[in-house]
Amino acid sequence: LAAELALLREHVDPELVGVYLDVAWAFSAGGYPLALIAEFSRRCIGYHMRNLRADTVPTEGLADGVLDIPAMVHAIATAGHRGWIGLELWHRNDVQSKRPMIECQQEAVLYLKTLLR
C-alpha cells in the first residue's frame, strides 16, 4: 500500500490517472481508509466497499465488522463523489455465514442506500 500510494502521489498526474479505492484492502494493508478517502477524493473514480473483522477476514454483511462504513460513506458523499461505489460480500469458508449470499447482498444494498440518503 505504501509503495502504491507513493507512486500515485509522486509520479502520476491526477489529471491522467484516477483511483478506485478498495477500503477493505487498504485496511488489510495497514492503511486508514477514512484518511485515504480524504486524501484521494478529488481523483477517486470509484470505491469498493466490503467490511472485515479485526483479523481481516471478510464479514457476512456490510454493516458488520471493524470498518466504519457509515463514516466512509458520509466522507465519500460529502466530497461530492458521483461515481461508482462497488459492493463486495465474500462468503469464503472462514466467513461462516448463517444466511444465503443473496440475503446478505440485498441487506447490504439497502444499507448503502440508507447511508446515501
Side-chain angles (χ1 to χ4, degrees):
L1 178 65
E4 284 184 3
L5 294 177
L7 285 171
L8 281 171
R9 288 181 189 110
E10 299 166 20
H11 303 288
V12 179
D13 183 346
E15 297 298 320
L16 300 176
V17 177
V19 175
Y20 192 86
L21 181 62
D22 182 331
V23 299
W25 181 87
F27 176 80
S28 294
Y32 300 96
L34 274 172
L36 294 171
I37 290 167
E39 179 179 358
F40 290 103
S41 64
R42 291 192 358 213
R43 71 187 292 176
C44 201
I45 59 172
Y47 295 89
H48 180 249
M49 308 299 284
R50 180 178 66 213
N51 213 332
L52 304 168
R53 301 184 328 208
D55 60 1
T56 69
V57 171
T59 56
E60 182 179 45
L62 188 60
D64 313 314
V66 297
L67 298 181
D68 190 347
I69 300 297
M72 288 183 220
V73 170
H74 178 73
I76 291 166
T78 300
H81 179 70
R82 297 287 179 248
W84 287 95
I85 297 180
L87 170 64
E88 178 185 1
L89 298 180
W90 186 12
H91 289 183
R92 311 183 318 199
N93 292 338
D94 54 354
V95 172
Q96 300 176 359
S97 178
K98 296 177 180 74
R99 298 176 292 150
M101 176 62 81
I102 190 68
E103 286 180 22
C104 296
Q105 287 282 357
Q106 290 168 336
E107 179 182 280
V109 168
L110 290 174
Y111 181 60
L112 271 178
K113 284 182 177 181
T114 299
L115 294 174
L116 288 165
R117 288 186 188 163

